[in-house]
Amino acid sequence: MSFLAQIEECNRWAAGDFIPFIVEGEQLGMARREFAEALDSLSDLGEALLLDQFALQWVSAPSGFAARTEAMQRLCDELIAGGLISHRHGEQYPVTPSRREDARFLIDRACAPYFGVRAFGQHLNGFVRRPDGLWMWIARRAADRRVYPNRLDNMVAGGLPWGISLAENVRKECAEEAGMPEHLADRAVPVGAITYCRASKRGLKPDVMYCYDLELPADFEPQCQDGEVAGFELMPIDRVAEIVDNTDAFKLNCNLVIIDFLVRHGVLTPEHPDYLEIVQRLRSLA
Amino acid sequence: MSFLAQIEECNRWAAGDFIPFIVEGEQLGMARREFAEALDSLSDLGEALLLDQFALQWVSAPSGFAARTEAMQRLCDELIAGGLISHRHGEQYPVTPSRREDARFLIDRACAPYFGVRAFGQHLNGFVRRPDGLWMWIARRAADRRVYPNRLDNMVAGGLPWGISLAENVRKECAEEAGMPEHLADRAVPVGAITYCRASKRGLKPDVMYCYDLELPADFEPQCQDGEVAGFELMPIDRVAEIVDNTDAFKLNCNLVIIDFLVRHGVLTPEHPDYLEIVQRLRSLA
């Protein structure tokens, strides 16, 4: 691996495998051709989702946010019953052409990748400034996590469901994942966003990760409250950089959050041969 | 204006106005169609620069870095004599398909835009952390500057000539433009790079600005040594943000350096309606 390879790995998708998912003339995502074809072959859904040569169109989408959200929920239930979608996550995500606030309707988090809709999350770098440099709190994911069990993770990270503000969700995740009091979580500084787009077996994940830096006092020690994290370790930043650069120990997208941190704090410097490409490609336009 | 409008203004160019500038099968820039046609009509240059339907090709380019640099120098002299290029700046810039280190030959800084070659610069945010928040040192350009006289500027900023390291050039610019001692300049932290691409009367400027943050002690006051700056003012960051958001008081590309600072320091937050577009478009891929 290398820093750039981590970014490339997060942006692995072949345009030819997907077709636009369109609702009322507006592209809201991308669906795998096989998924679109399978939908088309389910006769009772034939009217709901129309596959033409160029796109998967949700032709029967009712008007209005609430009605459309309900209809998508019924549709996903049928697709789960028909074995085309694996499961329901239980959290509602916005379906939007661009910003979270411009959501056209909601979709279950686990169903979102099938339609390749943009998903939003928040990742927080918890770090400590010491005389000998920066140290970063790294989490190890619990062994029973559905995705990336046992892998390394940012101190706090989570999806951003509909109906909660960014600041509230940071507070909530900081409390659940690291046992952090509100007054400390509120010191988290928003420092940018990373965008990437990756194919998965289910479909496509064009993701937005809002990034936060939180400088922690030397005596704070994170304690997971919700069982999602097996433990935490405070590491010198050079060791974190080395793990990202040379291994796949981290949950894939966390590498990008750390690379961005390394750039912003002058740990990864312009002398690195891939510097410009790294900086540019942390924000894919897909 | 708005933050996003500043970024758009820096990325104003129409692909149809330019054709690739190609040397030995490799694209190294873009030239204005009119410039390419005028070159073509100068009979004594007819052999040197070949304009075909799709590109401006430097067909007579000799082999080797030094020979090519010399030939380009002679060519530019002829173009200046012929009135096609306005003047010579006196600093050599690398001509490269990507990185500074991969330079194929050198070209005078003032001649670079005619061939639309990527130019590199460094911009430094000098700031002070106070109990009431961040304050930023802002420079006002001298009245006799060739470009953007009297406009506001980053505390230290300059082009990056060939043959000097990034760290050395920061030191040099900090000394010349702000009278800063070396031990202070060496605290500058590289924090990323901004890329943009803008058409000018001469041609095209696909620019890379390496960005630095330098936290300054409260008692340091910048003093310009080389006459390029009329004066400095320490401003609260919200006032700096307001100037960037609502006026064109800054030299155009400095706005982007400040917007990037505002994002990284949590002054411009994800709640801003243009946040994602701002973050993505600070690094154009052109």
Side-chain angles (χ1 to χ4, degrees), chain B residues 162-179:
Chain B
W162 179 250
I164 185 167
S165 77
L166 277 73
E168 269 177 273
N169 201 54
V170 164
R171 246 180 245 143
K172 181 178 153 285
E173 295 284 347
C174 282
E176 289 175 5
E177 297 197 355

Side-chain angles (χ1 to χ4, degrees), chain A residues 1 3 6 9-10 123-125 136-141 147-157 233 235-259 262:
Chain A
M1 296 301 268
F3 295 126
Q6 297 283 11
E9 193 57 35
C10 255
H123 288 244
L124 184 143
N125 301 294
M136 189 179 256
W137 279 107
I138 299 298
R140 185 174 292 280
R141 298 166 65 84
V147 292
Y148 297 102
N150 298 313
R151 300 281 273 278
L152 301 181
D153 203 335
N154 300 122
M155 188 175 94
V156 173
E233 189 182 343
M235 296 185 189
I237 196 68
D238 286 343
R239 194 172 140 220
V240 178
E242 207 182 280
I243 295 173
V244 170
D245 201 10
N246 299 314
T247 79
D248 57 359
F250 274 96
K251 173 169 176 280
L252 188 57
N253 62 1
C254 299
N255 290 297
L256 275 50
V257 178
I258 293 170
I259 293 169
L262 299 175

Side-chain angles (χ1 to χ4, degrees), chain A residues 6-285:
Chain A
Q6 297 283 11
I7 298 174
E8 278 163 0
E9 193 57 35
C10 255
N11 285 283
R12 202 176 285 287
W13 70 290
D17 294 345
F18 296 90
I19 58 169
F21 168 53
I22 288 176
V23 184
E24 233 181 337
E26 186 175 55
Q27 182 171 349
L28 297 178
M30 300 275 275
R32 263 199 192 283
R33 284 179 178 282
E34 296 84 344
F35 178 69
E37 279 157 13
L39 283 183
D40 200 45
S41 72
L42 283 185
S43 61
D44 52 340
L45 296 173
E47 283 184 302
L49 285 154
L50 184 75
L51 175 65
D52 64 28
Q53 197 186 341
F54 306 110
L56 179 67
Q57 306 245 16
W58 188 15
V59 286
S60 69
S63 312
F65 187 93
R68 210 163 268 189
T69 297
E70 263 177 59
M72 179 47 80
Q73 203 157 336
R74 281 195 306 273
L75 187 60
C76 286
D77 282 340
E78 291 183 63
L79 295 172
I80 291 169
L84 282 178
I85 287 185
S86 64
H87 69 292
R88 180 178 291 285
H89 184 285
E91 259 175 25
Q92 293 277 53
Y93 267 30
V95 179
T96 169
S98 54
R99 302 184 307 143
R100 212 171 150 241
E101 298 75 25
D102 299 329
R104 303 301 192 230
F105 57 90
L106 305 178
I107 192 170
D108 183 84
R109 178 172 173 171
C111 306
Y114 293 93
F115 295 93
V117 305
R118 191 178 236 193
F120 298 82
Q122 291 171 302
H123 288 244
L124 184 143
N125 301 294
F127 71 102
V128 180
R129 225 179 268 277
R130 287 189 178 182
D132 61 349
L134 298 174
W135 291 60
M136 189 179 256
W137 279 107
I138 299 298
R140 185 174 292 280
R141 298 166 65 84
D144 61 357
R145 296 295 295 270
R146 179 193 283 264
V147 292
Y148 297 102
N150 298 313
R151 300 281 273 278
L152 301 181
D153 203 335
N154 300 122
M155 188 175 94
V156 173
L160 190 53
W162 179 249
I164 185 167
S165 76
L166 277 73
E168 269 177 273
N169 201 54
V170 164
R171 246 178 246 143
K172 181 177 153 285
E173 295 285 345
C174 281
E176 288 175 5
E177 296 196 356
M180 198 185 294
E182 238 175 56
H183 73 269
L184 203 51
D186 284 349
R187 287 193 215 160
V189 178
V191 292
I194 288 167
T195 49
Y196 67 91
C197 185
R198 184 159 198 268
S200 73
K201 231 179 78 187
R202 294 184 199 166
L204 197 63
K205 288 169 66 65
D207 277 9
V208 173
M209 299 188 285
Y210 291 105
C211 300
Y212 297 79
D213 277 3
L214 177 52
E215 184 173 345
L216 290 160
D219 61 354
F220 173 78
E221 205 164 314
Q223 300 281 351
C224 178
Q225 310 295 309
D226 63 2
E228 294 194 353
V229 174
F232 290 95
E233 189 182 343
L234 186 63
M235 296 185 189
I237 196 68
D238 286 343
R239 194 172 140 220
V240 178
E242 207 182 280
I243 295 173
V244 170
D245 201 10
N246 299 314
T247 79
D248 57 359
F250 274 96
K251 173 169 176 280
L252 188 57
N253 62 1
C254 299
N255 290 297
L256 275 50
V257 178
I258 293 170
I259 293 169
D260 178 66
F261 182 93
L262 299 175
V263 168
R264 287 184 294 99
H265 290 271
V267 180
L268 178 48
T269 68
E271 284 76 20
H272 191 288
D274 298 332
Y275 192 76
L276 283 178
E277 253 195 288
I278 287 170
V279 169
Q280 290 186 315
R281 297 184 59 187
L282 283 174
R283 282 130 195 120
S284 109
L285 290 173

